[in-house]
Amino acid sequence: MTHTAIVFPGQGSQKIGMLSDYYQQFDEVRKTFAEANDTLQFDLWEIIQNDEEKLNKTEYTQPAILAASIAIWRILSIHSNTQANVLAGHSLGEYSALCAANGIQFSDALKLVQLRGQLMQSAVTDKACAMSAILGLTNEQVIECCNTANDMGIVEPANFNSQGQVVISGELQAVERANEIAKKMGAKRAQILPVSVPSHCSLMKEAAKKFAIALDKINIKKPEIKVLHNYDVVSHTDVKEIKHTLIKQLYCPVKWTQTIEQMAKDGINTVIECGASKVLTGLNKRIIKELNYYDTSTVDTFEKLIEQVKA
């Protein structure tokens, strides 16, 4: 029997021209982006197709990825008999998951993630900051690197993405020092990422305080499908707890490895990445090889998924 999880990608999965093949074939994409444009009061689809500079700015990236994910979720819901037992999203993707579970309205989610991007960017205008991917060390070794380098400033684990892949986040000098320590410890790679905001570290606490005020005004309901949260890898039904985890998520690490491990423990055997990306699918395969993984990054991969589901 198939037990299915659907997961939603986060920032970094965007690319210029994404979903153009879907747009031609599926009315759901056109309707979803028309709704997004009305909500945001600018042409999000135009940015995705033609303005790479804007697309890579956090305040545009976040609604773009959310809208892309929800468009494909709607196609999946209408054009297949896929039934999700649990949902999860990586960082920003958690908002896509909550939206898909009818815990939050699409228009509210768009406004929230746009504000989230703006607050994250404005939180560090006076600091040189960075994120870096460290490959080939254990979680404990990466934590040790950060602890050793923190005399240079704030540096903390941000994303536990898979075994042997951890992203760190913080002030530039401290991140660079942690990279040096990681290489001496035998890391295969310790590489600064092309991002402007140090996500999921304590530099985001001020942004989280401001975000909490906006979040308090949003109507969030009990999700109709279980959503595993990044902060604690738990599915919450209490609205206050959901809001609490979304605030904590801004400055605490994304526990993605634990998320996929928890799904496997709960009997999930199929994981579908819902969005214009296969970034999570690559990570997921490294966490637990034995599960069945699918992505929806193109119409071709979507159609293969539909055939498998029918089978």
Side-chain angles (χ1 to χ4, degrees), residues 100-119:
N102 290 324
I104 184 170
Q105 289 186 352
F106 179 50
S107 57
D108 286 337
L110 284 167
K111 291 173 192 171
L112 271 180
V113 300
Q114 183 188 31
L115 175 64
R116 182 177 181 266
Q118 291 167 343
L119 291 173

Side-chain angles (χ1 to χ4, degrees), residues 183-209:
K183 287 173 184 174
K184 286 178 183 175
M185 291 177 74
K188 293 176 185 174
R189 191 184 305 167
Q191 184 175 342
I192 299 285
L193 299 173
V195 297
S196 58
V197 174
S199 304
H200 305 295
C201 76
S202 55
L203 291 169
M204 291 293 114
K205 281 189 175 180
E206 200 55 44
K209 285 180 188 174

Side-chain angles (χ1 to χ4, degrees), residues 30-97:
R30 296 187 288 274
K31 286 180 177 176
T32 298
F33 277 90
E35 194 179 335
N37 294 348
D38 286 346
T39 298
L40 298 169
Q41 292 296 294
F42 59 80
D43 194 333
L44 186 60
W45 182 254
E46 172 65 22
I47 290 169
I48 287 174
Q49 297 306 305
N50 298 307
D51 194 336
E52 190 166 14
E53 186 180 348
K54 259 191 176 178
L55 179 60
N56 289 327
K57 287 183 178 175
T58 303
E59 64 181 286
Y60 297 105
T61 310
Q62 297 203 20
I65 293 170
L66 177 95
S69 294
I70 293 304
I72 295 180
W73 166 260
R74 289 171 173 177
I75 294 167
L76 195 62
S77 301
I78 291 167
H79 297 277
S80 82
N81 59 356
T82 303
Q83 298 293 318
N85 300 93
V86 64
L87 308 175
H90 189 287
S91 187
L92 160 73
E94 195 163 284
Y95 292 83
S96 305

Side-chain angles (χ1 to χ4, degrees), residues 117-172:
Q118 291 167 343
L119 291 173
M120 289 168 72
Q121 191 70 62
S122 63
V124 290
T125 52
D126 60 338
K127 287 184 174 72
C129 298
M131 297 182 77
S132 175
I134 297 179
L135 306 185
L137 297 184
T138 65
N139 291 351
E140 292 72 25
Q141 285 175 311
V142 175
I143 292 167
E144 186 183 337
C145 291
C146 292
N147 290 341
T148 306
N150 66 16
D151 59 338
M152 302 292 290
I154 291 169
V155 57
E156 298 160 5
N159 303 333
F160 293 103
N161 280 337
S162 67
Q163 289 88 350
Q165 187 189 126
V166 180
V167 174
I168 62 173
S169 181
E171 293 171 276
L172 178 60

